[in-house]
Amino acid sequence: MSGLRPVVLSGPSGAGKSTLMKRLMKEHEGVFGFSVSHTTRNPRPGEEDGKDYHFTTREAMEEGISQGEFIENAEFSGNMYGTSKAAVEDVLARNLICILDVDIQGVRRIKETDLNPIYISIQPPSMDILEKRLRDRQTETEESLLKRLEAARIDMEHSKEPGVFDVVIINDDLERAYEELKDILNEEIQKVQEAK
Ligand SMILES: Nc1nc2c(ncn2[C@@H]2O[C@H](COP(=O)(O)OP(=O)(O)O)[C@@H](O)[C@H]2O)c(=O)[nH]1
Ligand SMILES: Nc1ncnc2c1ncn2[C@@H]1O[C@H](COP(=O)(O)OP(=O)(O)O)[C@@H](O)[C@H]1O
């Protein structure tokens, strides 16, 4: 089956991308496949290598990039992140809708490729709420939290530019945001389910 459009989920760290995506994948088994990115950041408790990320070193990642193995890569909050060609090809080969979770730099780079995804920005209701969610998540040091909030300000500005995103979802109430996300993806989800 061809013609399944990938989905790019972007938006500030702490906006709720992983929460929404995990729910979407759980409720639609055999429909979506996650493009597992590479990163040089340390794994958080509960994160699995090869599932959440390919955890790697800066040297190994730079080597891969110079070998042309990456579709895009970016520096975020002091670490490298990148989407390998293999990560996306693995999902497409399984005839699944490929979900990519990338920052705004990744969005711009992906626009230069022929992937033709649906671009969705997940935004928090406000900076204060974003900060509270990030603090409550308890995954960041004070330093990385402040870097994420700074990056969030830039992200929130860019996401308002016309033509960058197909849709912007404000993740205030989780249920409502999730319903909105499902509605947007309904057409693609139907395509996979009809082909089964
Ligand atoms: N450009 C790019 N950004 C990525 C990639 N993987 C993750 N990111 C972004 O990197 C940022 C930090 O991700 P992470 O460290 O997992 O923190 P979290 O978003 O707060 O859970 C987020 O904005 C992600 O969307 C990637 O492969 N490429
Ligand atoms: N609508 C919401 N209301 C309250 N808390 C939320 C909501 N969406 C996500 N969260 C919480 O906010 C934190 C950040 O969400 P997460 O999915 O990790 O964000 P991201 O993947 O965008 O960095 C998590 O602890 C999550 O449980």
Side-chain angles (χ1 to χ4, degrees):
M1 181 178 43
S2 62
L4 285 178
R5 288 182 74 190
V7 177
V8 165
L9 282 189
S10 195
S13 165
K17 300 179 294 297
S18 310
T19 305
L20 287 163
M21 187 180 70
K22 283 184 179 155
R23 181 154 171 195
L24 192 67
M25 293 185 75
K26 198 171 165 197
E27 284 189 14
H28 300 82
E29 232 170 274
V31 173
F32 294 98
F34 180 50
S35 158
V36 181
S37 291
H38 283 63
T39 184
T40 62
R41 84 151 160 76
N42 292 325
R44 295 173 186 152
E47 282 185 334
E48 276 179 53
D49 189 33
K51 186 167 171 264
D52 298 286
Y53 280 106
H54 297 291
F55 294 100
T56 183
T57 62
R58 192 166 278 270
E59 294 70 34
M61 218 170 140
E62 277 167 356
E63 174 64 17
I65 293 164
S66 70
Q67 298 290 322
E69 290 167 13
F70 284 78
I71 294 173
E72 59 81 32
N73 64 276
E75 191 84 21
F76 183 92
S77 183
N79 285 296
M80 286 174 83
Y81 293 82
T83 309
S84 70
K85 290 177 181 166
V88 173
E89 279 162 12
D90 283 354
V91 177
L92 298 181
R94 280 151 54 212
N95 289 328
L96 300 173
I97 301 170
C98 181
I99 305 190
L100 299 97
D101 175 343
V102 298
D103 79 332
I104 192 83
Q105 304 169 81
V107 167
R108 296 197 190 281
R109 290 284 303 278
I110 290 169
K111 290 205 174 216
E112 294 162 7
T113 71
D114 56 8
L115 263 186
N116 188 32
I118 302 169
Y119 293 95
I120 302 174
S121 174
I122 307 295
Q123 291 289 328
S126 69
M127 274 302 282
D128 285 353
I129 291 175
L130 181 70
E131 179 168 351
K132 182 174 186 314
R133 286 185 190 167
L134 270 178
R135 287 192 185 280
D136 289 350
R137 196 174 69 182
Q138 297 187 324
T139 51
E140 308 309 315
T141 61
E142 190 64 19
E143 189 196 0
S144 88
L145 192 124
L146 293 178
K147 281 188 187 163
R148 275 152 206 272
L149 291 177
E150 186 48 40
R153 282 190 192 90
I154 299 170
D155 182 291
M156 286 159 107
E157 278 309 307
H158 285 283
S159 68
K160 288 182 203 143
E161 283 173 27
V164 179
F165 288 98
D166 296 307
V167 203
V168 177
I169 298 178
I170 311 289
N171 179 20
D172 41 16
D173 176 67
L174 187 62
E175 291 306 317
R176 199 208 46 75
Y178 180 63
E179 289 305 317
E180 200 176 331
L181 181 63
K182 265 200 309 194
D183 278 353
I184 294 155
L185 300 178
N186 193 35
E187 201 178 309
E188 295 303 309
I189 295 171
Q190 295 293 323
K191 280 191 211 166
V192 182
Q193 286 173 342
E194 278 161 19
K196 279 189 177 171

